[in-house]
Amino acid sequence: KPCYGQKGYGVCMPCNYEVHGIDISHYQGKIDWELLTHNREAQFPIHFIFLKATEGGDHGDDTFTQNFGQARKYGFIRGAYHYFIPKTDARKQADFFIRTVQLAKGDLPPVLDVETTGKQSPQELKTAVKTWLDRVEAHYGVKPILYTSYKFKKRYLSDSIFNAYPYWIAHYYVDSVRYEGKWHFWQHTDVGTVPGIEEEVDLMLKVAEAKGWNIANLDVTGSDEFKEEVEKQIASRIKEIQKSQKKEVPKIPDYQKE
């Protein structure tokens, strides 16, 4: 597919978005964090990173602990996600994630990654997903982010009970998001090449209302202190962008409760 816009990280990048991020796990190999930080000064600056923490009821990503610590050390806004196995007890999966992931001030909400049905019925899948979300929300005091593809959500998780959760949509190789509901993160490719990372990586952008820079309506943490910490970090990123690109960047609005 020809690229009629601007290219970055080896792919055609969506236009008019200021906040970019990546998703990493053991598949990306060893991370050169010093080199990775230089991407904050690139044309499409990378400011946040989601890291795979757990899968199912007992499988942890063996790079998570080190990379989660390094992400914070090198100044990235970070988040952790769990890969959901529908056949495994949802409470067991939630408890495993909780034991593995200790969130700190400024971290993004926990994420549930749902990509398969595991031969469960639609209702069984919805019940299991909701069980994980409820248990994790009760522990961290914040609504988790729900990650799934555009088609998977429409087919299996279109129930209105999931509308209350921030949505991280995987929708590849398109110029814009076709999903008509609200979304907060758009993972637009799985073949990005980012300096500092050995293997291809998922690229995404952050938006609350599908226009420009806007973090409103995303409950970053359960406390006002956490929210203030993230706002400070993002305000600092805005200054970095203004300094490096010498252009106006919209100010971050106040948080708005849904």
Side-chain angles (χ1 to χ4, degrees):
K1 180 180 178 180
C3 178
Y4 298 106
Q6 295 179 307
K7 295 199 73 171
Y9 308 116
V11 299
C12 193
M13 298 292 288
C15 298
N16 302 318
Y17 296 98
E18 300 288 352
V19 189
H20 300 268
I22 56 177
D23 160 11
I24 63 175
S25 68
H26 66 280
Y27 289 111
Q28 274 64 55
K30 184 176 176 58
I31 308 296
D32 183 337
W33 288 94
E34 195 71 45
L35 182 56
L36 188 60
T37 60
H38 295 167
N39 296 298
R40 288 207 295 265
E41 301 171 0
Q43 181 179 7
F44 302 98
I46 292 174
H47 294 308
F48 67 90
I49 301 175
F50 280 112
L51 303 98
K52 182 180 180 181
T54 52
E55 178 177 334
D58 57 8
H59 179 71
D61 189 289
D62 57 14
T63 65
F64 173 73
T65 299
Q66 180 180 6
N67 284 340
F68 198 60
Q70 291 291 84
R72 188 170 184 84
K73 175 182 176 181
Y74 283 90
F76 291 98
I77 297 172
R78 64 183 187 174
Y81 71 90
H82 173 80
Y83 186 88
F84 194 67
I85 303 296
K87 288 186 176 181
T88 301
D89 181 78
R91 291 180 181 84
K92 180 180 180 181
Q93 295 190 65
D95 290 343
F96 178 45
F97 180 85
I98 289 168
R99 290 195 306 272
T100 304
V101 179
Q102 286 76 50
L103 296 179
K105 290 183 178 180
D107 291 343
L108 291 163
V111 180
L112 180 62
D113 176 351
V114 186
E115 301 183 27
T116 64
T117 64
K119 297 184 178 179
Q120 304 294 298
S121 71
Q123 188 55 51
E124 288 173 330
L125 179 65
K126 291 176 186 177
T127 299
V129 167
K130 190 66 167 64
T131 296
W132 191 99
L133 294 170
D134 287 345
R135 201 167 184 87
V136 169
E137 180 178 356
H139 176 79
Y140 293 103
V142 58
K143 284 193 176 301
I145 296 168
L146 180 61
Y147 168 94
T148 190
S149 72
Y150 165 69
K151 291 182 179 179
F152 192 92
K153 189 173 192 302
K154 285 192 68 176
R155 185 173 299 175
Y156 300 109
L157 299 175
S158 60
D159 196 298
S160 61
I161 63 172
F162 298 116
N163 292 344
Y165 299 93
Y167 181 28
W168 169 6
I169 182 173
H171 198 190
Y172 298 155
Y173 319 127
V174 293
D175 296 324
S176 61
V177 175
R178 297 172 187 169
Y179 180 69
E180 296 178 355
K182 184 184 294 184
W183 56 275
H184 296 76
F185 296 87
W186 171 22
Q187 188 164 300
H188 55 86
T189 184
D190 57 352
V191 292
T193 54
V194 175
I197 299 179
E198 295 177 353
E199 304 296 332
E200 292 179 334
V201 65
D202 298 334
L203 297 177
M204 69 197 80
L205 52 84
K206 162 73 187 76
V207 66
E209 294 296 342
K211 58 178 75 172
W213 182 304
N214 191 337
I215 200 169
N217 301 318
L218 178 60
D219 202 12
V220 173
T221 69
S223 72
D224 290 338
E225 289 182 353
F226 275 24
K227 293 178 182 179
E228 290 171 5
E229 182 70 19
V230 173
E231 285 190 342
K232 288 178 182 178
Q233 289 193 41
I234 295 178
S236 175
R237 302 293 190 271
I238 292 175
K239 289 181 181 179
E240 290 177 6
I241 296 172
Q242 289 174 326
K243 184 177 179 180
S244 64
Q245 299 184 351
K246 295 182 180 181
K247 68 178 183 180
E248 289 288 327
V249 178
K251 294 182 179 179
I252 180 172
D254 294 332
Y255 280 88
Q256 302 170 2
K257 294 184 178 179
E258 298 200 6

